[in-house]
Amino acid sequence: MAEVSLSSVQIISGNGSFNAAVLDRFVRPTKLPNCGLAYKIVAVIGPQSSGKSTLLNHLLGTEFKEMDASEGRSQTTRGIWIGKCDGIVPSTIAMDIEGTDGSERGEDDTAFEKQSALFALATANIVLINIWCHDIGREHAANKPLLKIVFQAMMKLFSPRKTTLLFVIRDKTKTPLAKLDKNLRQDIEKVWDAVPKPEAHKNTPLSEFFNVEVTALSSYEEKEEQFKEQVAELREQIVNLISPRGLAGDGRGAVPASGFSFSAQQIWKHIKENKDLDLPAHKVMVATVRCEEIANEKLHRLFADENWLALEAAVQEGPVQGFGQRLNAILYPYLSEYDKETVYFDENVRTVKREYLLSKAFDEAYKRVPDRSTPPPPPANFWSIAPGVASAAVSATGLVLNFIG
C-alpha cells in the first residue's frame, strides 16, 4: 500500500467522491487517533483564486498547492484537501476547500459549493472565510452569495455547533479595520435575516449559531513582509481560539479523534444524499461503530493470547486450580485497553459494548469447560475488572449466568 504524504491529501474529489482509504492512511502517521478530544479542525472557504491555500500555508505551516499568479487566475484546489498543521497545539488538521464562484463549474453549478460549506461547518472548529476587502459593502459582491451558502448550509444541521467564523479580509485598504469590521457585520446580519429558516429558528440570532471574529491582511503580492507579520499575529489568535479556554476550545461537541475518519465519511454521505444532519445522533452512531470495532479487536487479540490458549488447554485436562483468578489476570489488560481507547465516546454506548466484550469472552471461556453443568466461578475480582457494568449475561448450553455490578 502506497504511503500518503502528511503535507496534503485530497479526501473528497472534485466530483464528490470520498476517498476513505487515503484519509485513513493520512490519519495514522499523524497520531491523530491517540488525541481523544484534544484535536481541532480549521477549514477555509472563499471565492476561487482569493489566496486560501496561500493563507493556510503561511498561517498553519501546511503545504497545499498554491496558484501561480504568472499563469493567470484559475482553479488550483479542486474538491476538499486536508493537511497536518505544523507546530500547533492541540493537534490540528487544516482543510482546504475548493473555491466558490469559479468559472470551471459555471454559475448554475452551486451544489458542490453548498455541500462543501456544510461539510466544513459540520466538521471544523474554526471556519476561515476569505473575502476581498473591496467587496465589503457591495450588495452583489462575491461575499454575499458565499455568506448565503454558509447560512443556508447551517440550516441543514438539526443541532448546530457553535462554530467560530473567522472572516479574513484580504488586500486591506487604508480603511480602518474597525470600520471594515462594522460594515462586514452589518452585511452578515442582513444576509442572516434574509436566509429562509425552519420555524424553530425563525427568530434565532446569529450569535446562537456562530462566534464571529474579523481580521484583515495586507496584499501578499504587494506587501509580502507586512502580510507575513500580520499572519503571525493571526496564528497566535487561532492558537488562543483553540486553546482549552478559547471560543473554539470546547471539545464536548467533538467526535473522538479515533472516530474522525469514519465520522467524516458518514457526514459527507448524508450531505450527498441531501439528508438533514442530526449531530448528536451522528455521534452515537459513530460511537456504536467504533466501540464495537475496538471490542472486536480486543477479542481477536485475547483469543490469540498465549496465556488464554494455555488456559484453554489446561481446562481440557481437568479442573484448573484458581481458574477465576487466571481468567481475571488475562482479561484485565484487554478491558483496560478498551476503557482507555473508548473513554471519549458516548458513555452508554461504550458501556454496552464493554458488556458485549465481556459476554463474548466468558462465553468462549465456558465453551472450553468439559463439564458445562458445573461452570467455573466468575473471576475473583469481577467488579474490579468490570467497573460500571450493570450486568453481563453469558449463555452456555442453555445456562445463563448473571453477574451484577
Side-chain angles (χ1 to χ4, degrees):
M1 186 178 290
E3 289 296 316
V4 174
S5 169
L6 296 186
S7 58
S8 64
V9 296
Q10 186 187 51
I11 62 169
I12 298 175
S13 69
N15 64 12
S17 299
F18 194 101
N19 197 331
V22 166
L23 178 56
D24 286 341
R25 297 205 305 275
F26 168 85
V27 164
R28 204 172 302 122
T30 67
K31 298 181 180 179
L32 182 67
N34 302 329
C35 292
L37 297 177
Y39 75 102
K40 302 298 174 187
I41 308 293
V42 178
V44 64
I45 61 178
Q48 181 176 297
S49 306
S50 61
K52 299 186 301 300
S53 302
T54 300
L55 174 62
L56 287 179
N57 291 344
H58 283 84
L59 183 64
L60 301 174
T62 49
E63 298 179 22
F64 295 112
K65 182 181 178 181
E66 299 179 15
M67 183 187 72
D68 184 349
S70 65
E71 297 295 326
R73 310 193 77 82
S74 60
Q75 187 178 59
T76 304
T77 302
R78 186 163 172 80
I80 298 178
W81 293 66
I82 62 170
K84 181 75 167 62
C85 299
D86 182 39
I88 301 287
V89 178
S91 184
T92 302
I93 300 295
M95 187 179 294
D96 194 9
I97 294 175
E98 179 180 320
T100 61
D101 200 25
S103 60
E104 285 81 359
R105 289 192 182 271
E107 63 179 15
D108 296 325
D109 186 7
T110 61
F112 189 83
E113 295 179 1
K114 294 174 182 176
Q115 291 168 348
S116 58
L118 179 53
F119 185 75
L121 291 169
T123 57
N125 304 92
I126 298 176
V127 178
L128 305 176
I129 300 184
N130 218 40
I131 60 175
W132 297 112
C133 185
H134 57 252
D135 283 339
I136 296 175
R138 294 181 179 179
E139 188 59 35
H140 299 290
N143 61 308
K144 294 292 184 67
L146 176 60
L147 288 175
K148 188 175 181 180
I149 286 171
V150 169
F151 295 154
Q152 285 179 331
M154 184 55 92
M155 293 299 110
K156 298 287 288 182
L157 299 177
F158 281 170
S159 303
R161 309 166 75 218
K162 192 69 175 287
T163 306
T164 295
L165 297 183
L166 204 169
F167 288 84
V168 183
I169 303 171
R170 301 298 295 272
D171 293 6
K172 182 183 178 299
T173 61
K174 293 181 179 180
T175 305
L177 177 58
K179 183 66 174 176
L180 292 172
D181 187 317
K182 180 180 178 181
N183 290 344
L184 180 56
R185 289 179 187 273
Q186 288 174 346
D187 284 350
I188 295 169
E189 290 291 347
K190 287 179 182 178
V191 175
W192 176 256
D193 291 341
V195 168
K197 303 177 185 68
E199 195 61 37
H201 296 295
K202 285 288 185 183
N203 300 311
T204 303
L206 178 72
S207 58
E208 289 295 311
F209 284 76
F210 301 105
N211 299 311
V212 176
E213 300 285 315
V214 179
T215 191
L217 302 174
S218 299
S219 169
Y220 174 61
E221 295 180 4
E222 298 177 7
K223 300 178 180 180
E224 185 175 347
E225 289 307 312
Q226 192 173 1
F227 171 86
K228 290 180 178 178
E229 290 174 5
Q230 292 166 346
V231 165
E233 295 174 1
L234 179 57
R235 180 183 171 97
E236 287 302 310
Q237 182 180 353
I238 287 179
V239 169
N240 289 333
L241 284 170
I242 63 177
S243 68
R245 295 185 179 181
L247 287 174
D250 186 353
R252 285 178 296 177
V255 169
S258 66
F260 171 71
S261 295
F262 177 72
S263 172
Q265 186 176 357
Q266 292 301 310
I267 285 175
W268 186 248
K269 179 182 177 183
H270 272 70
I271 291 171
K272 288 288 287 180
E273 293 173 351
N274 198 31
K275 295 179 180 178
D276 288 335
L277 285 171
D278 185 346
L279 293 181
H282 172 79
K283 284 182 62 180
V284 171
M285 182 270 291
V286 172
T288 301
V289 172
R290 282 295 299 136
C291 289
E292 184 161 326
E293 287 178 346
I294 293 168
N296 284 329
E297 187 268 334
K298 301 309 168 195
L299 287 168
H300 178 76
R301 288 178 49 217
L302 171 66
F303 296 153
D305 187 296
E306 59 181 18
N307 293 318
W308 176 273
L309 296 174
L311 185 59
E312 277 190 350
V315 298
Q316 299 303 312
E317 298 177 3
V320 177
Q321 186 71 28
F323 177 89
Q325 287 77 8
R326 287 180 63 177
L327 184 57
N328 183 0
I330 296 168
L331 279 173
Y332 185 80
Y334 296 99
L335 287 166
S336 296
E337 289 178 12
Y338 173 86
D339 291 338
K340 183 178 179 181
E341 293 177 30
T342 62
V343 66
Y344 297 110
F345 288 102
D346 180 88
E347 183 178 2
N348 291 332
V349 173
R350 69 174 187 258
T351 299
V352 168
K353 295 305 176 182
R354 196 181 197 276
E355 292 182 15
Y356 161 82
L357 192 166
L358 278 168
S359 175
K360 289 289 185 181
F362 284 128
D363 193 35
E364 189 68 19
Y366 296 150
K367 284 180 183 177
R368 309 303 176 189
V369 180
D371 180 12
R372 293 174 186 157
S373 63
T374 310
N381 298 319
F382 181 78
W383 286 272
S384 70
I385 68 169
V389 176
S391 66
V394 183
S395 298
T397 320
L399 180 65
V400 179
L401 305 174
N402 289 296
F403 302 113
I404 308 299

